[in-house]
Amino acid sequence: MSPASAPLLDVAALHALIDEIGQQDRPLVLLDVRWALDGSKGEHDHLAGHLPGAVYVDLGTELAAPARPEAGRHPLPDPADFAATLRRLGVTEGSRIVAYDDTDGGPAARLVWMLRALGHEASVLSGGLHAWNGPLESGPVTPEPGDVPVRDWPADRIASADEVAELAASEEAVVIDARAPERYRGEVEPIDPRAGHVPGAVNLPYAGNLDPERRFLPPEELRERFEAAGVTADGEAVVYCGSGVTATHDLLALEAAGFPRVRLFPGSWSQWSADPERPVAVGPNPNP
């Protein structure tokens, strides 16, 4: 996989991409996905300072449909709604897209996974805003509208709750819980109806994909991490988190490490735990 098409991009590769695309008739779309569940991060941060030309996208309203128990806290948006968002952001069929945030890459990963699932060439800026070593701009950015068509979410990139239950029970795939260990073990649950995890799931917190500078680990180190949890080159992995956001962090790390057969459980724990018929497991990771 070339750096230009990889799901993760470091700042040196971004500078090279800016120079390369500047010599071509091809748009580079930079997207600012700063967001926090408590509202402490958002468009106000973008207006104060952002990568030159970057357009703001709101995760809560544009990268998710309204919450509902049967679909979770951040369901994937309706395909027509997401296409309208991409057109507002200036995305065209030939766009090269790089997204960033200023935390751990989780919000940006959500957008990049959605884009890649629909066939767009998109990457997360590893290290996010903190890794950027160029100038910043302030104020809003309004691009020329894009022209992307409506595309349905591909069935081979997502898994339903029933599929997750079947795969975890049959061991036909590695089901990965990307949440913090204490939530996986069922010791705390600050948001969702019940504490614990999907029976049979292994815990690989997404934060483990990062180095102390909040940059993604090299692909070979990511590969070792996932192999230790039982993921194989020809096997399948399905990832969930609390609501389908930070699970995409693990999904992009898996892809960067060379594991192509990966799927998202979009409803994640917020959907699973809201259904009283779904069993819940507690306790330590069986494959730490």
Side-chain angles (χ1 to χ4, degrees):
M1 185 182 301
S2 71
S5 61
L8 310 174
L9 205 66
D10 65 25
V11 71
L14 176 56
H15 280 296
L17 187 63
I18 291 170
D19 293 340
E20 173 190 337
I21 289 185
Q23 302 170 25
Q24 303 173 357
D25 184 21
R26 184 185 185 197
L28 173 64
V29 179
L30 300 177
L31 299 177
D32 184 336
V33 203
R34 279 178 278 181
W35 173 86
L37 188 60
D38 63 3
S40 60
K41 294 182 180 293
E43 189 172 14
H44 58 281
D45 298 294
H46 172 81
L47 295 173
H50 53 78
L51 269 63
V55 186
Y56 182 72
V57 54
D58 184 87
L59 188 153
T61 61
E62 296 184 295
L63 305 185
R68 56 191 194 278
E70 67 274 17
R73 284 186 281 111
H74 292 109
L76 291 174
D78 178 85
D81 292 339
F82 187 51
T85 292
L86 295 182
R87 290 192 287 267
R88 180 192 73 77
L89 298 173
V91 176
T92 67
E93 285 291 78
S95 292
R96 178 67 175 87
I97 306 153
V98 178
Y100 70 91
D101 55 55
D102 65 352
T103 50
D104 50 26
R110 166 75 171 209
L111 174 56
V112 167
W113 179 87
M114 292 166 68
L115 288 163
R116 293 178 73 87
L118 296 178
H120 296 283
E121 199 171 356
S123 304
V124 169
L125 174 60
S126 181
L129 185 64
H130 303 289
W132 177 247
N133 54 6
L136 296 177
E137 292 181 349
S138 60
V141 176
T142 305
E144 289 293 320
D147 62 0
V148 293
V150 177
R151 291 192 177 98
D152 290 333
W153 298 110
D156 64 344
R157 302 296 294 270
I158 58 178
S160 68
D162 287 341
E163 288 175 310
V164 169
E166 181 179 348
L167 290 170
S170 66
E171 299 183 351
E172 293 180 5
V174 179
V175 176
I176 296 172
D177 184 321
R179 297 175 302 158
E182 61 271 18
R183 289 185 71 190
Y184 171 87
R185 293 192 297 263
E187 296 167 1
V188 298
E189 182 44 67
I191 306 171
D192 295 316
R194 293 185 288 166
H197 59 266
V198 174
V202 299
N203 188 213
L204 281 178
Y206 76 95
N209 298 324
L210 303 175
D211 68 13
E213 301 299 319
R214 291 186 286 187
R215 298 168 302 195
F216 279 84
L217 297 172
E220 58 274 14
E221 293 184 31
L222 292 171
R223 173 174 281 273
E224 290 176 2
R225 181 173 193 247
F226 292 116
E227 285 179 338
V231 182
T232 62
D234 58 351
E236 185 177 21
V238 177
V239 188
Y240 73 91
C241 58
S243 65
V245 174
T246 55
T248 60
H249 200 283
D250 268 3
L251 288 167
L252 295 184
L254 281 157
E255 185 181 350
F259 300 104
R261 296 183 59 203
V262 293
R263 289 195 280 168
L264 171 69
F265 171 25
S268 287
W269 187 248
S270 57
Q271 177 187 351
W272 185 281
S273 63
D275 183 349
E277 300 299 317
R278 298 282 179 194
V280 170
V282 296
N285 189 2
N287 190 8

